[in-house]
Amino acid sequence: MRRTPSRRLLTAVLLAASVLGPVAVSPATAVHAAGIDRYDRHDGGHDREGRDGRDDCPSHGLPSELTARLDRAVEDVRRQAGIPGVVVGLWMPGKGSYVRATGVADKVTRAPMTSDVFVRIGSETKTFTVTALLQLVDEGRIGLDDPISAYVDHVPDGRHITLRHLAGMRSGLFPYTSDADFQHDLLSDPSRTFTPREVLAYGFRHKNAFAPGRQFEYSNTNLVLLGLVVEKVSGQRLADFVDRQILRPAHLRHTLFPADSAIPEPHPRGYTDQTLNAATVDATDWNPSWAWAAGAMISDLHDLRRWARIVATGTLLRPQTQAQRLRMLPTGIPGTGYGLGIFESGGWIGHNGSIPGYETVTVYLPSRKATLVLMLNTDITYQGQEPSSLVARAITEIVTPDNVYDRPVPPR
């Protein structure tokens, strides 16, 4: 049965069907290391991952036989799931790297997908918002066990819901993206601008699902509230705080909070079937304001590669704060734990993102110091699975069989 928007719309900006029409095959494009690190010359030597400023991942590619297996696996999933275009970046210290762009960036012009594109990163935004929150914890300006009522008024049961509950998806607050009126209002006018208070109002008119801390339920309501906390305590717009405190120190020069629906060039067109009539449409220019602190940001392969390691290892936080962040609690989804704005799946740590038109995965495997980044120009599920999860699973089954990324869509 074809899903309707109410089943998953914008659960979106993480865990989260019909298949796109046939896509003509475009040969996979190999990108050499020099092409991948195209911004190195502008970063003053800070783009490398090693402590001495040098990259600890060999510049050469993976062995040819392994590369061929990955090419086949990625292309097989892309064809089967009807994904227009995919960008894959895999870096494995001691073994080499694998970067591919395959399929099309535009279903109309048939322009090929390339590795230098910008995409909307959906729920990966949460890793930035929670990092901002934890920086304020490090500065002693807030405490994780402070109630949200100390910062934002009129939150249902706000005296008992802590910042920790919100960051860990254990508040019990109703996800505003699951509200039928919100879904109708957004899909009736995807260009509309929503304010944080407007989207929260959709959620606050529902009863809380459970007592704070009782269980896990993914809710974008939580992250919008945390965005408001960052703004109130810092005295800055969330976008400005993230830019100054995170993006600049991390040298993420191609990551941004958009002020409107614009997305930098070059970018692929993004396709979704999250529409009122379940038709597939081009959602590239939809306004992401409704997702804000939960899912509005934009980035590229270069920056996501850097961010994967930074967020997983806590470069921008005190060790004790990072340890709290990485305390993974059960989600009810087999093999997946959730910390504070970050998850663990099969040993891979990071986050995925899904927003109408685009999906991403940015994860780091501490045991191998490996990084995997995926960027897709669709969020249309295939047999109930997020397309990005299908690609990530196929890749990790080959390169890290003891650590397979496996994120099934949770029960609705």
Side-chain angles (χ1 to χ4, degrees):
M1 180 178 69
R2 185 178 180 84
R3 65 173 173 77
T4 61
S6 63
R7 284 187 60 194
R8 72 177 273 270
L9 175 75
L10 324 170
T11 332
V13 206
L14 161 77
L15 306 168
S18 68
V19 182
L20 287 172
V23 177
V25 176
S26 174
T29 303
V31 182
H32 299 293
I36 262 290
D37 293 325
R38 65 194 186 285
Y39 304 121
D40 285 358
R41 66 177 69 92
H42 305 302
D43 287 346
H46 296 290
D47 184 58
R48 301 302 189 174
E49 301 289 351
R51 286 176 293 179
D52 61 357
R54 298 180 63 186
D55 197 337
D56 58 4
C57 185
S59 60
H60 60 76
L62 295 170
S64 58
E65 181 179 349
L66 180 55
T67 294
R69 288 182 63 196
L70 289 171
D71 284 346
R72 288 193 298 271
V74 171
E75 191 61 17
D76 285 349
V77 172
R78 190 185 73 77
R79 287 171 177 253
Q80 184 179 44
I83 303 167
V86 181
V87 178
V88 177
L90 174 67
W91 297 270
M92 303 185 71
K95 290 186 176 295
S97 58
Y98 172 87
V99 177
R100 287 291 188 274
T102 183
V104 297
D106 188 320
K107 292 169 61 180
V108 175
T109 67
R110 315 307 297 173
M113 182 69 97
T114 59
S115 67
D116 61 347
V117 293
F118 289 86
V119 297
R120 301 192 189 280
I121 63 172
S123 276
E124 292 196 34
T125 302
K126 293 176 172 66
T127 62
F128 293 91
T129 299
V130 173
T131 296
L133 182 85
L134 295 177
Q135 288 181 330
L136 293 174
V137 171
D138 278 349
E139 294 172 6
R141 302 172 72 178
I142 62 174
L144 281 173
D145 295 314
D146 292 348
I148 185 61
S149 60
Y151 305 97
V152 181
D153 294 332
H154 309 304
V155 178
D157 201 23
R159 292 180 302 163
H160 300 111
I161 296 172
T162 66
L163 305 186
R164 189 189 302 275
H165 290 143
L166 295 168
M169 301 296 179
R170 293 176 177 274
S171 69
L173 291 168
F174 186 87
Y176 66 86
T177 50
S178 294
D179 178 82
D181 288 339
F182 168 77
Q183 294 174 9
H184 179 271
D185 293 347
L186 173 63
L187 297 181
S188 296
D189 181 12
S191 66
R192 172 179 170 176
T193 297
F194 289 86
T195 67
R197 292 286 186 171
E198 285 174 340
V199 297
L200 287 175
Y202 289 101
F204 287 174
R205 61 190 186 183
H206 296 268
K207 291 183 179 180
N208 292 7
F210 50 85
R214 183 72 58 84
Q215 64 188 68
F216 174 91
E217 182 182 35
Y218 195 81
S219 174
N220 290 320
T221 301
N222 297 332
L223 267 290
V224 171
L225 285 169
L226 292 183
L228 291 176
V229 171
V230 172
E231 290 196 331
K232 180 169 185 177
V233 175
S234 70
Q236 302 176 44
R237 293 173 57 248
L238 177 63
D240 293 336
F241 187 87
V242 168
D243 181 62
R244 294 169 183 167
Q245 300 296 119
I246 299 175
L247 303 184
R248 294 185 190 183
H251 304 284
L252 303 180
R253 303 176 188 275
H254 302 88
T255 302
L256 66 147
F257 251 113
D260 49 31
S261 61
I263 180 171
E265 294 285 355
H267 63 263
R269 308 305 296 180
Y271 303 95
T272 189
D273 64 351
Q274 295 198 64
T275 53
L276 290 176
N277 61 1
T280 296
V281 300
D282 183 331
T284 307
D285 300 315
W286 286 17
N287 191 329
S289 61
W290 62 269
W292 191 50
M297 291 180 71
I298 292 168
S299 192
D300 71 354
L301 183 67
H302 173 276
D303 277 11
L304 293 180
R305 174 194 176 183
R306 288 184 54 77
W307 184 239
R309 181 166 177 169
I310 289 170
V311 73
T313 61
T315 301
L316 300 178
L317 301 173
R318 293 181 178 177
Q320 57 268 38
T321 304
Q322 180 68 2
Q324 291 191 68
R325 177 177 212 163
L326 295 182
R327 181 170 172 254
M328 302 291 173
L329 296 178
T331 62
I333 305 169
T336 300
Y338 204 88
L340 301 180
I342 197 168
F343 68 64
E344 184 273 330
S345 177
W348 293 89
I349 297 173
H351 220 287
N352 65 328
S354 182
I355 193 166
Y358 300 92
E359 287 201 342
T360 55
V361 173
T362 298
V363 288
Y364 180 77
L365 183 61
S367 63
R368 303 283 291 274
K369 297 184 179 179
T371 299
L372 174 65
V373 176
L374 303 178
M375 306 190 306
L376 287 67
N377 60 341
T378 187
D379 67 309
I380 298 174
T381 60
Y382 176 70
Q383 296 183 349
Q385 294 288 296
E386 300 288 333
S388 58
S389 293
L390 295 173
V391 178
R393 184 182 309 135
I395 291 171
T396 55
E397 283 176 343
I398 293 171
V399 297
T400 56
D402 293 331
N403 298 99
V404 175
Y405 178 103
D406 191 11
R407 296 196 36 68
V409 175
R412 294 292 183 259

